[in-house]
Amino acid sequence: MALQYLASLSHYVPEAIMCLTMVFLIMVESSYDNNLKGSAKGMLYSTAYLGLLSVFVLLVAKIGNEPVTIFTGSLVIDPFSNIAKIVMVIGTAAAIYLSRVSKDIYEEVKAEYVILAVGILIGGLLLSSANNMLILYIGVETLSILSYVMASLKKNDERSSEAGLKYALYGGVTSGIMLFGMSHIFGVLGTIQFSEIYTGMSAITSSDALILMPAFLMFFAGIGYKIACVPFHMWSPDVYEGAPLPVTNFFSIVPKVAGIIVIVRVTNVFFAGSENILKESWIVLLMIISALTMTVGNVAAIGQRSVKRMLAYSSISHAGVMLLGVVVIGEIGNRAILFYAITYLFMTTVAFYVTSFVQDHYGNDHFERFNGLLKNHPLMAILMSIVMFSLAGLPPLSGFVAKFNILSAVISEKYYVLAAIAGFNSVISLYYYLKIVKNMIFRDSESEESVSLFDFKSQAIIAAFSIPVVVLGIFWEQVLVIANGAKLFIQ
Amino acid sequence: MISLSSYLIVSFALFLCGIVVIIARKNIIAMLLGMELILNAGALNFAAYTRFVNQNLDGHVMSLFIIIIAAAEAAVGLAIVIRFFQIKESIHIDDAVELQS
């Protein structure tokens, strides 16, 4: 038994390194006084980056490995979750850099941001390889509880603490509802292991199905709230607006990707092996929710004045598009979701970076603040335009390829109505994405003097993050091959 | 002998009470209490199902973890409420209207 655990631990090195990094960060943070300066701060950030880098390297080295279940089957390390973990690690590293340069986070809580970000990443890693209801619940809660703290990071700001409060209340209630649903699933199927649920699902009677249907609905509420899909999305714009910008950037990548991955795993494991009424109703539920999520996100984004709030709604609609891929239960859908997550990471990061620097300079992030950016910072304005076109899904950028993959997966299953809804939504989203482009290129800036919004290092990083947005639009086959090799471990 | 269905009825009643408290009460502390009721309904269900349906330990372990995590969640929730109270001098949910567009 002990040997078996030791062997399991050898597959669990990335997560262990992340935990050690977090412990070390807490020790560094607490051993210096409030306003970290000079070497102490450098030490903190270098620890965080070192931990993230080693995890990244370990995960990249694992690409293509055979899936293994560890810790008596409660966790699964498969290629699918591996790619998702890489996305989350890059997203965290980018968010940590943004928090360092952003003025939206108080100097004395910058260290706390790093610690919380690493903690949420641990939750995300746990969640994406959960193969057991207990691990799923612990992962969701690790992700959530730290997120509440992170949302209210601006301690003396009314809006930030209100955002944290709303997040905590919504989150607590939905995770409670999820738990109640899970307890009934446990009662009917008699197990919390996904592998046993997989076999149990094919042998359920119709009276079991009657209990399981509302139970699965409740179960979905908990995960659906994490990715902010429509009936549970009310918290999302408020939290995204109230929280400081680097926090918003982080929230729109790591918890969202983790949530999508867990929905993919649950859908594929629970419903792949059986044809029954439960599977059909789950698919219908996902279809309705993804269509609603896309539409509501896009329509609500149109009227926004604040770019941050607009990006929050747009991230809701992107979650809807990713859910479309879940509807297609099978490899083709999973592959499209992974590709979408990779491109979404780069696009969102660049959009938030540029918004953050504009906001730091002008004090707010309304659309008018982008006026005349082309004259001041031609490169940044062009990169932002490229990212906006990509987010809207125009060829030849990566956003187009990602959307195309999802749509082709949906069409291969003959869900034409869903595909049409997704197409319409792409058109709607063009309106508000192009509003920024229009403001940057055709409007004159409010003041004549040329202001310097970005320093050289930040420009270089923004440029580096926008390269994949373009490159993945042209050379997408290689990445798709990797995503295709990243099979989900079913049982 | 108390049967499984009695446990399920009690836990469902707890769950409903929690939901009603969350919806009806405007006091944030009361809402946190409602949250705890919902979590405990889940924990009770797990314990009851383990006792009556399948005798493995999964449900008990789950209940223990729920208790621990609920405590953590309540701690963080209360900390945020205290911060909110220091800023707004109120724990009424209707005062949290800063972020509505």
Side-chain angles (χ1 to χ4, degrees), chain A residues 110-124:
Chain A
K110 279 194 171 166
E112 283 165 37
Y113 180 97
V114 181
I115 296 168
L116 290 171
V118 171
I120 295 177
L121 177 66
I122 294 170

Side-chain angles (χ1 to χ4, degrees), chain A residues 134 138 141 145 148 155-156 158 161-162 165 172-173 176 179-180 182-184 186-187 190 192 238 309, chain B residues 22 28 35 38 45-46 49-50 54 58-59 62 65-66 69 73 76 80 83 87-88 96-99 101:
Chain A
L134 179 61
I138 295 173
E141 289 293 352
I145 293 178
Y148 309 153
K155 277 190 257 177
N156 301 320
E158 270 179 29
S161 63
E162 189 186 318
L165 183 69
V173 174
L179 207 58
F180 197 71
M182 252 155 57
S183 70
H184 285 292
F186 168 68
I192 56 172
D238 285 359
R309 208 175 163 92
Chain B
I22 293 275
I28 299 169
M35 219 162 80
I38 297 177
N45 258 349
F46 272 110
Y49 275 127
T50 308
N54 47 320
D58 290 356
M62 198 81 189
F65 269 94
I66 292 167
I69 291 174
E73 198 159 344
V76 168
I80 292 172
R83 177 51 66 178
I87 294 170
K88 288 272 192 176
V97 287
E98 207 68 30
L99 288 171
S101 57

Side-chain angles (χ1 to χ4, degrees), chain A residues 232-271:
Chain A
F232 322 104
H233 74 293
M234 283 89 80
W235 60 273
S236 161
D238 285 359
V239 170
Y240 282 19
E241 195 193 346
L245 217 147
V247 176
T248 313
N249 174 25
F250 187 72
F251 280 175
S252 58
I253 295 170
V254 176
K256 210 151 256 193
V257 172
I260 291 283
I261 296 307
V262 88
I263 286 191
V264 171
R265 188 179 300 283
V266 164
T267 309
N268 279 281
V269 170
F270 287 14
F271 302 106

Side-chain angles (χ1 to χ4, degrees), chain A residues 26-282:
Chain A
I26 293 174
M27 288 190 333
V28 172
E29 205 268 343
S30 56
S31 56
Y32 291 91
D33 61 346
N34 262 347
N35 33 343
L36 286 173
K37 285 200 180 73
S39 62
K41 201 166 185 175
M43 176 108 156
L44 191 95
Y45 282 103
S46 50
T47 312
Y49 287 132
L50 196 69
L52 288 171
L53 183 72
S54 50
V55 170
F56 178 75
V57 171
L58 281 173
L59 289 175
V60 169
K62 271 191 187 179
I63 287 181
N65 278 14
E66 287 298 304
V68 277
T69 54
I70 56 173
F71 296 122
T72 57
S74 59
L75 282 160
V76 57
I77 309 290
D78 60 352
F80 184 76
S81 63
N82 201 30
I83 304 267
K85 283 173 185 172
I86 293 173
V87 170
M88 284 190 272
V89 168
I90 300 174
T92 311
I96 288 177
Y97 177 76
L98 185 62
S99 82
R100 187 176 189 176
V101 291
S102 169
K103 290 180 192 138
D104 210 10
I105 295 210
Y106 301 148
E107 205 60 38
E108 68 265 22
V109 292
K110 279 194 171 166
E112 283 165 37
Y113 180 97
V114 181
I115 296 168
L116 290 171
V118 171
I120 295 177
L121 177 66
I122 294 170
L125 298 180
L126 201 60
L127 196 52
S128 56
S129 51
N131 199 30
N132 175 319
M133 294 240 206
L134 179 61
I135 301 291
L136 195 154
Y137 178 61
I138 295 173
V140 167
E141 289 293 352
T142 316
L143 212 64
S144 310
I145 293 178
L146 291 172
S147 305
Y148 309 153
V149 184
M150 208 175 189
S152 49
L153 200 60
K154 249 177 164 178
K155 277 190 257 177
N156 301 320
D157 184 73
E158 270 179 29
R159 299 155 64 81
S160 184
S161 63
E162 189 186 318
L165 183 69
K166 282 184 175 168
Y167 203 3
L169 287 176
Y170 273 117
V173 174
T174 44
S175 68
I177 292 174
M178 175 179 86
L179 207 58
F180 197 71
M182 252 155 57
S183 70
H184 285 292
I185 297 174
F186 168 68
V188 174
L189 297 172
T191 176
I192 56 172
Q193 293 285 1
F194 282 4
S195 53
E196 289 167 32
I197 291 175
Y198 176 75
T199 47
M201 281 299 278
S202 49
I204 48 166
T205 60
S206 55
S207 64
D208 287 346
L210 212 63
I211 309 173
L212 280 179
M213 221 186 283
F216 271 117
L217 204 65
M218 287 174 166
F219 180 56
F220 183 79
I223 319 168
Y225 129 87
K226 275 274 53 125
I227 60 166
C229 63
V230 150
F232 322 104
H233 74 293
M234 283 89 80
W235 60 273
S236 161
D238 285 359
V239 170
Y240 282 19
E241 195 193 346
L245 217 147
V247 176
T248 313
N249 174 25
F250 187 72
F251 280 175
S252 58
I253 295 170
V254 176
K256 210 151 256 193
V257 172
I260 291 283
I261 296 307
V262 88
I263 286 191
V264 171
R265 188 179 300 283
V266 164
T267 309
N268 279 281
V269 170
F270 287 14
F271 302 106
S274 52
E275 290 292 336
N276 52 33
I277 179 97
L278 274 176
K279 181 182 180 181
E280 275 156 34
S281 43
W282 180 264

